[in-house]
PDB file of all heavy atoms in Angstrom:
ATOM      1  N   VAL D  78     -32.448 -61.512 -26.407  1.00 93.00           N
ATOM      2  CA  VAL D  78     -33.086 -60.270 -25.971  1.00 93.00           C
ATOM      3  C   VAL D  78     -32.827 -60.228 -24.366  1.00 93.00           C
ATOM      4  O   VAL D  78     -33.325 -61.104 -23.767  1.00 93.00           O
ATOM      5  CB  VAL D  78     -34.574 -60.401 -26.237  1.00 93.00           C
ATOM      6  CG1 VAL D  78     -35.309 -59.218 -25.477  1.00 93.00           C
ATOM      7  CG2 VAL D  78     -34.817 -60.409 -27.720  1.00 93.00           C
ATOM      8  N   ARG D  79     -32.066 -59.337 -24.037  1.00 91.00           N
ATOM      9  CA  ARG D  79     -31.676 -59.210 -22.554  1.00 91.00           C
ATOM     10  C   ARG D  79     -32.829 -58.697 -21.724  1.00 91.00           C
ATOM     11  O   ARG D  79     -33.000 -59.251 -20.569  1.00 91.00           O
ATOM     12  CB  ARG D  79     -30.430 -58.272 -22.399  1.00 91.00           C
ATOM     13  CG  ARG D  79     -29.153 -58.879 -22.744  1.00 91.00           C
ATOM     14  CD  ARG D  79     -28.037 -57.897 -22.272  1.00 91.00           C
ATOM     15  NE  ARG D  79     -26.730 -58.388 -22.320  1.00 91.00           N
ATOM     16  CZ  ARG D  79     -25.581 -57.809 -21.830  1.00 91.00           C
ATOM     17  NH1 ARG D  79     -25.809 -56.654 -21.272  1.00 91.00           N
ATOM     18  NH2 ARG D  79     -24.544 -58.403 -21.894  1.00 91.00           N
ATOM     19  N   ALA D  80     -33.429 -57.704 -22.097  1.00 88.00           N
ATOM     20  CA  ALA D  80     -34.584 -57.168 -21.318  1.00 88.00           C
ATOM     21  C   ALA D  80     -35.536 -56.366 -22.256  1.00 88.00           C
ATOM     22  O   ALA D  80     -35.084 -55.979 -23.339  1.00 88.00           O
ATOM     23  CB  ALA D  80     -34.027 -56.368 -20.140  1.00 88.00           C
ATOM     24  N   VAL D  81     -36.752 -56.171 -21.696  1.00 90.00           N
ATOM     25  CA  VAL D  81     -37.649 -55.166 -22.404  1.00 90.00           C
ATOM     26  C   VAL D  81     -38.033 -53.999 -21.430  1.00 90.00           C
ATOM     27  O   VAL D  81     -38.480 -54.448 -20.269  1.00 90.00           O
ATOM     28  CB  VAL D  81     -38.825 -55.873 -22.819  1.00 90.00           C
ATOM     29  CG1 VAL D  81     -39.859 -54.954 -23.495  1.00 90.00           C
ATOM     30  CG2 VAL D  81     -38.517 -56.991 -23.897  1.00 90.00           C
ATOM     31  N   SER D  82     -37.781 -52.918 -21.868  1.00 86.00           N
ATOM     32  CA  SER D  82     -38.032 -51.761 -20.944  1.00 86.00           C
ATOM     33  C   SER D  82     -39.184 -50.801 -21.417  1.00 86.00           C
ATOM     34  O   SER D  82     -39.158 -50.536 -22.597  1.00 86.00           O
ATOM     35  CB  SER D  82     -36.685 -50.957 -20.746  1.00 86.00           C
ATOM     36  OG  SER D  82     -36.938 -49.853 -19.999  1.00 86.00           O
ATOM     37  N   ASP D  83     -39.956 -50.524 -20.485  1.00 86.00           N
ATOM     38  CA  ASP D  83     -41.081 -49.397 -20.863  1.00 86.00           C
ATOM     39  C   ASP D  83     -40.653 -48.010 -20.431  1.00 86.00           C
ATOM     40  O   ASP D  83     -41.009 -47.458 -19.487  1.00 86.00           O
ATOM     41  CB  ASP D  83     -42.333 -49.819 -20.112  1.00 86.00           C
ATOM     42  CG  ASP D  83     -43.553 -48.958 -20.714  1.00 86.00           C
ATOM     43  OD1 ASP D  83     -43.345 -47.956 -21.292  1.00 86.00           O
ATOM     44  OD2 ASP D  83     -44.638 -49.400 -20.505  1.00 86.00           O
ATOM     45  N   ASP D  84     -39.695 -47.508 -21.307  1.00 81.00           N
ATOM     46  CA  ASP D  84     -39.134 -46.135 -21.006  1.00 81.00           C
ATOM     47  C   ASP D  84     -40.195 -44.995 -20.966  1.00 81.00           C
ATOM     48  O   ASP D  84     -39.998 -43.963 -20.358  1.00 81.00           O
ATOM     49  CB  ASP D  84     -38.049 -45.765 -22.014  1.00 81.00           C
ATOM     50  CG  ASP D  84     -36.796 -46.740 -21.863  1.00 81.00           C
ATOM     51  OD1 ASP D  84     -36.695 -47.290 -20.833  1.00 81.00           O
ATOM     52  OD2 ASP D  84     -36.076 -46.824 -22.887  1.00 81.00           O
ATOM     53  N   VAL D  85     -41.266 -45.174 -21.774  1.00 81.00           N
ATOM     54  CA  VAL D  85     -42.310 -44.153 -21.973  1.00 81.00           C
ATOM     55  C   VAL D  85     -42.980 -43.992 -20.683  1.00 81.00           C
ATOM     56  O   VAL D  85     -43.227 -42.825 -20.189  1.00 81.00           O
ATOM     57  CB  VAL D  85     -43.267 -44.609 -23.042  1.00 81.00           C
ATOM     58  CG1 VAL D  85     -44.504 -43.595 -23.026  1.00 81.00           C
ATOM     59  CG2 VAL D  85     -42.623 -44.679 -24.341  1.00 81.00           C
ATOM     60  N   LEU D  86     -43.435 -45.096 -19.905  1.00 82.00           N
ATOM     61  CA  LEU D  86     -44.130 -45.070 -18.686  1.00 82.00           C
ATOM     62  C   LEU D  86     -43.181 -44.403 -17.639  1.00 82.00           C
ATOM     63  O   LEU D  86     -43.617 -43.558 -16.866  1.00 82.00           O
ATOM     64  CB  LEU D  86     -44.561 -46.373 -18.139  1.00 82.00           C
ATOM     65  CG  LEU D  86     -45.955 -46.910 -18.844  1.00 82.00           C
ATOM     66  CD1 LEU D  86     -46.210 -48.240 -18.246  1.00 82.00           C
ATOM     67  CD2 LEU D  86     -47.028 -45.913 -18.524  1.00 82.00           C
ATOM     68  N   HIS D  87     -41.981 -44.854 -17.621  1.00 81.00           N
ATOM     69  CA  HIS D  87     -41.013 -44.193 -16.611  1.00 81.00           C
ATOM     70  C   HIS D  87     -40.945 -42.681 -16.891  1.00 81.00           C
ATOM     71  O   HIS D  87     -40.734 -41.991 -15.913  1.00 81.00           O
ATOM     72  CB  HIS D  87     -39.579 -44.975 -16.817  1.00 81.00           C
ATOM     73  CG  HIS D  87     -39.594 -46.348 -16.347  1.00 81.00           C
ATOM     74  ND1 HIS D  87     -40.155 -46.818 -15.284  1.00 81.00           N
ATOM     75  CD2 HIS D  87     -38.919 -47.425 -16.921  1.00 81.00           C
ATOM     76  CE1 HIS D  87     -40.052 -48.057 -15.304  1.00 81.00           C
ATOM     77  NE2 HIS D  87     -39.290 -48.427 -16.123  1.00 81.00           N
ATOM     78  N   ALA D  88     -40.964 -42.194 -18.096  1.00 83.00           N
ATOM     79  CA  ALA D  88     -40.640 -40.864 -18.473  1.00 83.00           C
ATOM     80  C   ALA D  88     -41.848 -39.999 -17.905  1.00 83.00           C
ATOM     81  O   ALA D  88     -41.814 -38.807 -17.623  1.00 83.00           O
ATOM     82  CB  ALA D  88     -40.504 -40.618 -19.893  1.00 83.00           C
ATOM     83  N   HIS D  89     -43.055 -40.675 -17.738  1.00 86.00           N
ATOM     84  CA  HIS D  89     -44.227 -39.824 -17.334  1.00 86.00           C
ATOM     85  C   HIS D  89     -44.463 -39.915 -15.797  1.00 86.00           C
ATOM     86  O   HIS D  89     -45.476 -39.295 -15.297  1.00 86.00           O
ATOM     87  CB  HIS D  89     -45.491 -40.552 -18.025  1.00 86.00           C
ATOM     88  CG  HIS D  89     -45.586 -40.135 -19.361  1.00 86.00           C
ATOM     89  ND1 HIS D  89     -44.885 -40.587 -20.454  1.00 86.00           N
ATOM     90  CD2 HIS D  89     -46.438 -39.248 -20.089  1.00 86.00           C
ATOM     91  CE1 HIS D  89     -45.173 -40.075 -21.619  1.00 86.00           C
ATOM     92  NE2 HIS D  89     -46.166 -39.225 -21.368  1.00 86.00           N
ATOM     93  N   GLU D  90     -43.660 -40.688 -15.023  1.00 81.00           N
ATOM     94  CA  GLU D  90     -43.843 -40.748 -13.633  1.00 81.00           C
ATOM     95  C   GLU D  90     -43.654 -39.393 -12.907  1.00 81.00           C
ATOM     96  O   GLU D  90     -42.847 -38.689 -13.196  1.00 81.00           O
ATOM     97  CB  GLU D  90     -42.785 -41.664 -12.986  1.00 81.00           C
ATOM     98  CG  GLU D  90     -42.956 -43.138 -13.428  1.00 81.00           C
ATOM     99  CD  GLU D  90     -41.799 -43.940 -12.751  1.00 81.00           C
ATOM    100  OE1 GLU D  90     -40.986 -43.511 -12.104  1.00 81.00           O
ATOM    101  OE2 GLU D  90     -41.855 -45.251 -13.094  1.00 81.00           O
ATOM    102  N   GLY D  91     -44.840 -38.919 -12.176  1.00 87.00           N
ATOM    103  CA  GLY D  91     -44.787 -37.631 -11.587  1.00 87.00           C
ATOM    104  C   GLY D  91     -45.329 -36.537 -12.615  1.00 87.00           C
ATOM    105  O   GLY D  91     -45.259 -35.257 -12.201  1.00 87.00           O
ATOM    106  N   GLY D  92     -45.684 -36.888 -13.854  1.00 90.00           N
ATOM    107  CA  GLY D  92     -46.030 -35.923 -14.941  1.00 90.00           C
ATOM    108  C   GLY D  92     -44.713 -35.300 -15.519  1.00 90.00           C
ATOM    109  O   GLY D  92     -43.638 -35.382 -15.146  1.00 90.00           O
ATOM    110  N   LYS D  93     -45.104 -34.587 -16.629  1.00 92.00           N
ATOM    111  CA  LYS D  93     -43.969 -33.944 -17.380  1.00 92.00           C
ATOM    112  C   LYS D  93     -43.820 -32.452 -17.181  1.00 92.00           C
ATOM    113  O   LYS D  93     -42.944 -31.730 -17.925  1.00 92.00           O
ATOM    114  CB  LYS D  93     -44.235 -34.256 -18.940  1.00 92.00           C
ATOM    115  CG  LYS D  93     -44.362 -35.819 -19.314  1.00 92.00           C
ATOM    116  CD  LYS D  93     -44.378 -36.055 -20.711  1.00 92.00           C
ATOM    117  CE  LYS D  93     -45.666 -35.473 -21.538  1.00 92.00           C
ATOM    118  NZ  LYS D  93     -46.867 -36.317 -20.996  1.00 92.00           N
ATOM    119  N   ILE D  94     -44.689 -31.799 -16.598  1.00 90.00           N
ATOM    120  CA  ILE D  94     -44.520 -30.371 -16.451  1.00 90.00           C
ATOM    121  C   ILE D  94     -44.621 -30.019 -14.951  1.00 90.00           C
ATOM    122  O   ILE D  94     -45.140 -30.819 -14.139  1.00 90.00           O
ATOM    123  CB  ILE D  94     -45.779 -29.647 -17.176  1.00 90.00           C
ATOM    124  CG1 ILE D  94     -47.180 -30.112 -16.773  1.00 90.00           C
ATOM    125  CG2 ILE D  94     -45.498 -29.922 -18.739  1.00 90.00           C
ATOM    126  CD1 ILE D  94     -48.194 -29.348 -17.393  1.00 90.00           C
ATOM    127  N   HIS D  95     -44.300 -28.823 -14.708  1.00 90.00           N
ATOM    128  CA  HIS D  95     -44.296 -28.280 -13.413  1.00 90.00           C
ATOM    129  C   HIS D  95     -44.237 -26.764 -13.276  1.00 90.00           C
ATOM    130  O   HIS D  95     -43.524 -26.064 -14.029  1.00 90.00           O
ATOM    131  CB  HIS D  95     -42.991 -28.656 -12.730  1.00 90.00           C
ATOM    132  CG  HIS D  95     -42.629 -28.089 -11.172  1.00 90.00           C
ATOM    133  ND1 HIS D  95     -43.467 -28.410 -10.198  1.00 90.00           N
ATOM    134  CD2 HIS D  95     -41.815 -27.132 -10.916  1.00 90.00           C
ATOM    135  CE1 HIS D  95     -42.907 -27.707  -9.083  1.00 90.00           C
ATOM    136  NE2 HIS D  95     -42.177 -26.934  -9.502  1.00 90.00           N
ATOM    137  N   MET D  96     -45.158 -26.223 -12.615  1.00 89.00           N
ATOM    138  CA  MET D  96     -45.267 -24.686 -12.408  1.00 89.00           C
ATOM    139  C   MET D  96     -44.017 -24.185 -11.565  1.00 89.00           C
ATOM    140  O   MET D  96     -43.839 -24.733 -10.445  1.00 89.00           O
ATOM    141  CB  MET D  96     -46.429 -24.303 -11.833  1.00 89.00           C
ATOM    142  CG  MET D  96     -46.653 -22.783 -11.739  1.00 89.00           C
ATOM    143  SD  MET D  96     -46.945 -21.947 -13.204  1.00 89.00           S
ATOM    144  CE  MET D  96     -48.617 -22.305 -13.596  1.00 89.00           C
ATOM    145  N   SER D  97     -43.309 -23.153 -12.037  1.00 89.00           N
ATOM    146  CA  SER D  97     -42.138 -22.662 -11.279  1.00 89.00           C
ATOM    147  C   SER D  97     -42.178 -21.195 -11.258  1.00 89.00           C
ATOM    148  O   SER D  97     -42.759 -20.639 -12.113  1.00 89.00           O
ATOM    149  CB  SER D  97     -40.850 -23.185 -11.835  1.00 89.00           C
ATOM    150  OG  SER D  97     -40.648 -22.864 -13.159  1.00 89.00           O
ATOM    151  N   SER D  98     -41.532 -20.578 -10.284  1.00 89.00           N
ATOM    152  CA  SER D  98     -41.348 -19.053 -10.215  1.00 89.00           C
ATOM    153  C   SER D  98     -40.312 -18.588 -10.924  1.00 89.00           C
ATOM    154  O   SER D  98     -39.180 -19.160 -11.007  1.00 89.00           O
ATOM    155  CB  SER D  98     -41.164 -18.764  -8.795  1.00 89.00           C
ATOM    156  OG  SER D  98     -40.940 -17.312  -8.621  1.00 89.00           O
ATOM    157  N   ARG D  99     -40.407 -17.416 -11.736  1.00 88.00           N
ATOM    158  CA  ARG D  99     -39.389 -16.782 -12.382  1.00 88.00           C
ATOM    159  C   ARG D  99     -38.546 -15.903 -11.551  1.00 88.00           C
ATOM    160  O   ARG D  99     -37.564 -15.249 -11.985  1.00 88.00           O
ATOM    161  CB  ARG D  99     -39.951 -15.992 -13.584  1.00 88.00           C
ATOM    162  CG  ARG D  99     -40.701 -16.885 -14.677  1.00 88.00           C
ATOM    163  CD  ARG D  99     -41.315 -15.982 -15.747  1.00 88.00           C
ATOM    164  NE  ARG D  99     -40.182 -15.282 -16.501  1.00 88.00           N
ATOM    165  CZ  ARG D  99     -40.114 -13.940 -16.689  1.00 88.00           C
ATOM    166  NH1 ARG D  99     -41.125 -13.333 -16.132  1.00 88.00           N
ATOM    167  NH2 ARG D  99     -39.192 -13.415 -17.279  1.00 88.00           N
ATOM    168  N   PHE D 100     -39.020 -15.776 -10.240  1.00 87.00           N
ATOM    169  CA  PHE D 100     -38.435 -14.829  -9.360  1.00 87.00           C
ATOM    170  C   PHE D 100     -37.835 -15.519  -8.184  1.00 87.00           C
ATOM    171  O   PHE D 100     -38.623 -16.554  -7.486  1.00 87.00           O
ATOM    172  CB  PHE D 100     -39.439 -13.836  -8.731  1.00 87.00           C
ATOM    173  CG  PHE D 100     -38.906 -12.540  -8.128  1.00 87.00           C
ATOM    174  CD1 PHE D 100     -38.630 -11.444  -8.942  1.00 87.00           C
ATOM    175  CD2 PHE D 100     -38.584 -12.548  -6.840  1.00 87.00           C
ATOM    176  CE1 PHE D 100     -38.128 -10.275  -8.313  1.00 87.00           C
ATOM    177  CE2 PHE D 100     -38.046 -11.467  -6.315  1.00 87.00           C
ATOM    178  CZ  PHE D 100     -37.865 -10.158  -7.054  1.00 87.00           C
ATOM    179  N   ASP D 101     -36.627 -15.291  -7.919  1.00 90.00           N
ATOM    180  CA  ASP D 101     -35.887 -16.081  -6.751  1.00 90.00           C
ATOM    181  C   ASP D 101     -36.332 -15.339  -5.312  1.00 90.00           C
ATOM    182  O   ASP D 101     -36.125 -14.289  -5.100  1.00 90.00           O
ATOM    183  CB  ASP D 101     -34.368 -15.905  -6.895  1.00 90.00           C
ATOM    184  CG  ASP D 101     -33.763 -16.905  -6.026  1.00 90.00           C
ATOM    185  OD1 ASP D 101     -34.362 -17.837  -5.378  1.00 90.00           O
ATOM    186  OD2 ASP D 101     -32.459 -16.750  -5.843  1.00 90.00           O
ATOM    187  N   ILE D 102     -37.128 -16.231  -4.485  1.00 91.00           N
ATOM    188  CA  ILE D 102     -37.649 -15.677  -3.328  1.00 91.00           C
ATOM    189  C   ILE D 102     -36.855 -16.183  -2.112  1.00 91.00           C
ATOM    190  O   ILE D 102     -36.901 -17.377  -1.721  1.00 91.00           O
ATOM    191  CB  ILE D 102     -39.098 -16.142  -3.156  1.00 91.00           C
ATOM    192  CG1 ILE D 102     -39.898 -15.764  -4.341  1.00 91.00           C
ATOM    193  CG2 ILE D 102     -39.683 -15.532  -1.881  1.00 91.00           C
ATOM    194  CD1 ILE D 102     -41.247 -16.192  -4.281  1.00 91.00           C
ATOM    195  N   ARG D 103     -35.821 -15.338  -1.590  1.00 92.00           N
ATOM    196  CA  ARG D 103     -34.920 -15.838  -0.617  1.00 92.00           C
ATOM    197  C   ARG D 103     -34.976 -14.870   0.705  1.00 92.00           C
ATOM    198  O   ARG D 103     -34.378 -15.238   1.688  1.00 92.00           O
ATOM    199  CB  ARG D 103     -33.515 -15.733  -1.088  1.00 92.00           C
ATOM    200  CG  ARG D 103     -33.295 -16.770  -2.334  1.00 92.00           C
ATOM    201  CD  ARG D 103     -31.813 -16.827  -2.717  1.00 92.00           C
ATOM    202  NE  ARG D 103     -31.540 -17.880  -3.765  1.00 92.00           N
ATOM    203  CZ  ARG D 103     -31.303 -19.118  -3.466  1.00 92.00           C
ATOM    204  NH1 ARG D 103     -31.235 -19.508  -2.120  1.00 92.00           N
ATOM    205  NH2 ARG D 103     -30.989 -20.004  -4.449  1.00 92.00           N
ATOM    206  N   SER D 104     -35.710 -13.732   0.640  1.00 93.00           N
ATOM    207  CA  SER D 104     -35.727 -12.812   1.779  1.00 93.00           C
ATOM    208  C   SER D 104     -37.094 -12.371   1.918  1.00 93.00           C
ATOM    209  O   SER D 104     -37.997 -12.410   1.141  1.00 93.00           O
ATOM    210  CB  SER D 104     -34.747 -11.746   1.471  1.00 93.00           C
ATOM    211  OG  SER D 104     -35.162 -10.911   0.442  1.00 93.00           O
ATOM    212  N   ILE D 105     -37.374 -11.709   3.054  1.00 93.00           N
ATOM    213  CA  ILE D 105     -38.637 -10.946   3.296  1.00 93.00           C
ATOM    214  C   ILE D 105     -38.806  -9.863   2.317  1.00 93.00           C
ATOM    215  O   ILE D 105     -39.895  -9.699   1.938  1.00 93.00           O
ATOM    216  CB  ILE D 105     -38.645 -10.499   4.828  1.00 93.00           C
ATOM    217  CG1 ILE D 105     -38.561 -11.529   5.781  1.00 93.00           C
ATOM    218  CG2 ILE D 105     -39.831  -9.606   5.013  1.00 93.00           C
ATOM    219  CD1 ILE D 105     -39.750 -12.613   5.784  1.00 93.00           C
ATOM    220  N   ASP D 106     -37.734  -9.166   2.068  1.00 92.00           N
ATOM    221  CA  ASP D 106     -37.907  -8.202   0.971  1.00 92.00           C
ATOM    222  C   ASP D 106     -38.299  -8.770  -0.382  1.00 92.00           C
ATOM    223  O   ASP D 106     -39.310  -8.137  -1.013  1.00 92.00           O
ATOM    224  CB  ASP D 106     -36.574  -7.491   0.720  1.00 92.00           C
ATOM    225  CG  ASP D 106     -36.604  -6.205  -0.215  1.00 92.00           C
ATOM    226  OD1 ASP D 106     -37.523  -5.377   0.148  1.00 92.00           O
ATOM    227  OD2 ASP D 106     -35.907  -6.279  -1.125  1.00 92.00           O
ATOM    228  N   ASP D 107     -37.811  -9.886  -0.739  1.00 90.00           N
ATOM    229  CA  ASP D 107     -38.282 -10.654  -1.943  1.00 90.00           C
ATOM    230  C   ASP D 107     -39.760 -10.903  -1.878  1.00 90.00           C
ATOM    231  O   ASP D 107     -40.566 -10.729  -2.837  1.00 90.00           O
ATOM    232  CB  ASP D 107     -37.505 -11.892  -2.214  1.00 90.00           C
ATOM    233  CG  ASP D 107     -36.088 -11.602  -2.590  1.00 90.00           C
ATOM    234  OD1 ASP D 107     -35.766 -10.506  -3.048  1.00 90.00           O
ATOM    235  OD2 ASP D 107     -35.303 -12.542  -2.354  1.00 90.00           O
ATOM    236  N   LEU D 108     -40.162 -11.435  -0.593  1.00 93.00           N
ATOM    237  CA  LEU D 108     -41.597 -11.888  -0.432  1.00 93.00           C
ATOM    238  C   LEU D 108     -42.495 -10.549  -0.568  1.00 93.00           C
ATOM    239  O   LEU D 108     -43.605 -10.784  -1.161  1.00 93.00           O
ATOM    240  CB  LEU D 108     -41.622 -12.476   1.070  1.00 93.00           C
ATOM    241  CG  LEU D 108     -43.096 -12.813   1.338  1.00 93.00           C
ATOM    242  CD1 LEU D 108     -43.668 -14.006   0.444  1.00 93.00           C
ATOM    243  CD2 LEU D 108     -43.093 -13.377   2.792  1.00 93.00           C
ATOM    244  N   ARG D 109     -42.169  -9.442  -0.036  1.00 91.00           N
ATOM    245  CA  ARG D 109     -42.883  -8.252  -0.126  1.00 91.00           C
ATOM    246  C   ARG D 109     -42.971  -7.764  -1.526  1.00 91.00           C
ATOM    247  O   ARG D 109     -44.093  -7.234  -1.872  1.00 91.00           O
ATOM    248  CB  ARG D 109     -42.134  -7.106   0.694  1.00 91.00           C
ATOM    249  CG  ARG D 109     -42.460  -7.324   2.195  1.00 91.00           C
ATOM    250  CD  ARG D 109     -41.551  -6.363   3.068  1.00 91.00           C
ATOM    251  NE  ARG D 109     -41.949  -6.509   4.505  1.00 91.00           N
ATOM    252  CZ  ARG D 109     -41.143  -5.997   5.364  1.00 91.00           C
ATOM    253  NH1 ARG D 109     -40.156  -5.142   5.094  1.00 91.00           N
ATOM    254  NH2 ARG D 109     -41.387  -6.141   6.655  1.00 91.00           N
ATOM    255  N   LYS D 110     -42.005  -8.025  -2.333  1.00 90.00           N
ATOM    256  CA  LYS D 110     -42.187  -7.626  -3.787  1.00 90.00           C
ATOM    257  C   LYS D 110     -43.074  -8.343  -4.582  1.00 90.00           C
ATOM    258  O   LYS D 110     -43.895  -8.044  -5.336  1.00 90.00           O
ATOM    259  CB  LYS D 110     -40.626  -7.603  -4.439  1.00 90.00           C
ATOM    260  CG  LYS D 110     -39.796  -6.560  -3.957  1.00 90.00           C
ATOM    261  CD  LYS D 110     -38.321  -6.734  -4.587  1.00 90.00           C
ATOM    262  CE  LYS D 110     -37.550  -5.658  -4.117  1.00 90.00           C
ATOM    263  NZ  LYS D 110     -36.221  -5.801  -4.640  1.00 90.00           N
ATOM    264  N   VAL D 111     -42.923  -9.789  -4.429  1.00 91.00           N
ATOM    265  CA  VAL D 111     -43.634 -10.627  -5.173  1.00 91.00           C
ATOM    266  C   VAL D 111     -45.105 -10.874  -4.658  1.00 91.00           C
ATOM    267  O   VAL D 111     -46.139 -11.399  -5.379  1.00 91.00           O
ATOM    268  CB  VAL D 111     -43.080 -12.037  -5.401  1.00 91.00           C
ATOM    269  CG1 VAL D 111     -41.723 -11.755  -5.928  1.00 91.00           C
ATOM    270  CG2 VAL D 111     -42.885 -12.767  -4.101  1.00 91.00           C
ATOM    271  N   TYR D 112     -45.428 -10.706  -3.373  1.00 92.00           N
ATOM    272  CA  TYR D 112     -46.665 -10.988  -2.856  1.00 92.00           C
ATOM    273  C   TYR D 112     -47.045  -9.860  -1.984  1.00 92.00           C
ATOM    274  O   TYR D 112     -47.216  -8.632  -2.519  1.00 92.00           O
ATOM    275  CB  TYR D 112     -46.628 -12.269  -1.906  1.00 92.00           C
ATOM    276  CG  TYR D 112     -47.880 -12.774  -1.563  1.00 92.00           C
ATOM    277  CD1 TYR D 112     -48.979 -12.865  -2.411  1.00 92.00           C
ATOM    278  CD2 TYR D 112     -48.151 -13.043  -0.289  1.00 92.00           C
ATOM    279  CE1 TYR D 112     -50.190 -13.352  -2.123  1.00 92.00           C
ATOM    280  CE2 TYR D 112     -49.532 -13.559   0.244  1.00 92.00           C
ATOM    281  CZ  TYR D 112     -50.470 -13.641  -0.739  1.00 92.00           C
ATOM    282  OH  TYR D 112     -51.714 -14.155  -0.419  1.00 92.00           O
ATOM    283  N   THR D 113     -47.314  -9.920  -0.801  1.00 89.00           N
ATOM    284  CA  THR D 113     -47.773  -8.741   0.025  1.00 89.00           C
ATOM    285  C   THR D 113     -46.748  -8.090   0.801  1.00 89.00           C
ATOM    286  O   THR D 113     -45.819  -8.699   1.348  1.00 89.00           O
ATOM    287  CB  THR D 113     -49.047  -9.273   0.957  1.00 89.00           C
ATOM    288  OG1 THR D 113     -49.495  -8.024   1.683  1.00 89.00           O
ATOM    289  CG2 THR D 113     -48.391 -10.217   2.048  1.00 89.00           C
ATOM    290  N   PRO D 114     -46.730  -6.767   0.813  1.00 90.00           N
ATOM    291  CA  PRO D 114     -47.683  -5.848   0.415  1.00 90.00           C
ATOM    292  C   PRO D 114     -47.528  -5.142  -0.966  1.00 90.00           C
ATOM    293  O   PRO D 114     -48.445  -4.647  -1.546  1.00 90.00           O
ATOM    294  CB  PRO D 114     -47.732  -4.703   1.488  1.00 90.00           C
ATOM    295  CG  PRO D 114     -46.313  -4.569   1.757  1.00 90.00           C
ATOM    296  CD  PRO D 114     -45.756  -6.032   1.811  1.00 90.00           C
ATOM    297  N   GLY D 115     -46.381  -5.512  -1.575  1.00 89.00           N
ATOM    298  CA  GLY D 115     -45.989  -4.739  -2.769  1.00 89.00           C
ATOM    299  C   GLY D 115     -47.027  -5.145  -4.014  1.00 89.00           C
ATOM    300  O   GLY D 115     -47.281  -4.210  -4.809  1.00 89.00           O
ATOM    301  N   VAL D 116     -47.527  -6.261  -3.915  1.00 93.00           N
ATOM    302  CA  VAL D 116     -48.322  -6.718  -5.160  1.00 93.00           C
ATOM    303  C   VAL D 116     -49.508  -5.895  -5.285  1.00 93.00           C
ATOM    304  O   VAL D 116     -50.076  -5.683  -6.253  1.00 93.00           O
ATOM    305  CB  VAL D 116     -48.511  -8.090  -5.089  1.00 93.00           C
ATOM    306  CG1 VAL D 116     -49.615  -8.524  -4.002  1.00 93.00           C
ATOM    307  CG2 VAL D 116     -49.185  -8.655  -6.385  1.00 93.00           C
ATOM    308  N   ALA D 117     -50.062  -5.286  -4.196  1.00 94.00           N
ATOM    309  CA  ALA D 117     -51.264  -4.551  -4.188  1.00 94.00           C
ATOM    310  C   ALA D 117     -51.193  -3.315  -5.108  1.00 94.00           C
ATOM    311  O   ALA D 117     -52.111  -2.996  -5.932  1.00 94.00           O
ATOM    312  CB  ALA D 117     -51.534  -3.994  -2.894  1.00 94.00           C
ATOM    313  N   ASN D 118     -49.909  -2.649  -5.261  1.00 93.00           N
ATOM    314  CA  ASN D 118     -49.758  -1.557  -6.195  1.00 93.00           C
ATOM    315  C   ASN D 118     -49.865  -2.143  -7.589  1.00 93.00           C
ATOM    316  O   ASN D 118     -50.516  -1.368  -8.512  1.00 93.00           O
ATOM    317  CB  ASN D 118     -48.417  -1.025  -5.959  1.00 93.00           C
ATOM    318  CG  ASN D 118     -48.163  -0.505  -4.662  1.00 93.00           C
ATOM    319  OD1 ASN D 118     -49.035   0.071  -3.996  1.00 93.00           O
ATOM    320  ND2 ASN D 118     -46.983  -0.333  -4.225  1.00 93.00           N
ATOM    321  N   VAL D 119     -49.433  -3.203  -7.981  1.00 94.00           N
ATOM    322  CA  VAL D 119     -49.642  -3.795  -9.405  1.00 94.00           C
ATOM    323  C   VAL D 119     -51.103  -4.008  -9.663  1.00 94.00           C
ATOM    324  O   VAL D 119     -51.614  -3.824 -10.728  1.00 94.00           O
ATOM    325  CB  VAL D 119     -48.757  -5.125  -9.568  1.00 94.00           C
ATOM    326  CG1 VAL D 119     -48.851  -5.482 -10.967  1.00 94.00           C
ATOM    327  CG2 VAL D 119     -47.310  -4.821  -9.030  1.00 94.00           C
ATOM    328  N   CYS D 120     -51.664  -4.646  -8.593  1.00 95.00           N
ATOM    329  CA  CYS D 120     -53.240  -4.963  -8.711  1.00 95.00           C
ATOM    330  C   CYS D 120     -54.050  -3.603  -9.091  1.00 95.00           C
ATOM    331  O   CYS D 120     -54.902  -3.639  -9.945  1.00 95.00           O
ATOM    332  CB  CYS D 120     -53.822  -5.486  -7.461  1.00 95.00           C
ATOM    333  SG  CYS D 120     -53.157  -7.207  -7.134  1.00 95.00           S
TER     334      CYS D 120
END
Side-chain angles (χ1 to χ4, degrees):
V78 176
R79 281 191 172 185
V81 179
S82 172
D83 193 339
D84 293 341
V85 174
L86 280 179
H87 291 322
H89 283 74
E90 291 175 2
K93 301 189 293 288
I94 59 175
H95 171 74
M96 180 73 76
S97 62
S98 173
R99 296 180 62 237
F100 197 95
D101 195 12
I102 306 172
R103 294 183 177 274
S104 67
I105 293 298
D106 186 52
D107 292 338
L108 181 62
R109 288 172 174 169
K110 288 178 181 176
V111 302
Y112 192 48
T113 184
V116 74
N118 294 331
V119 187
C120 294

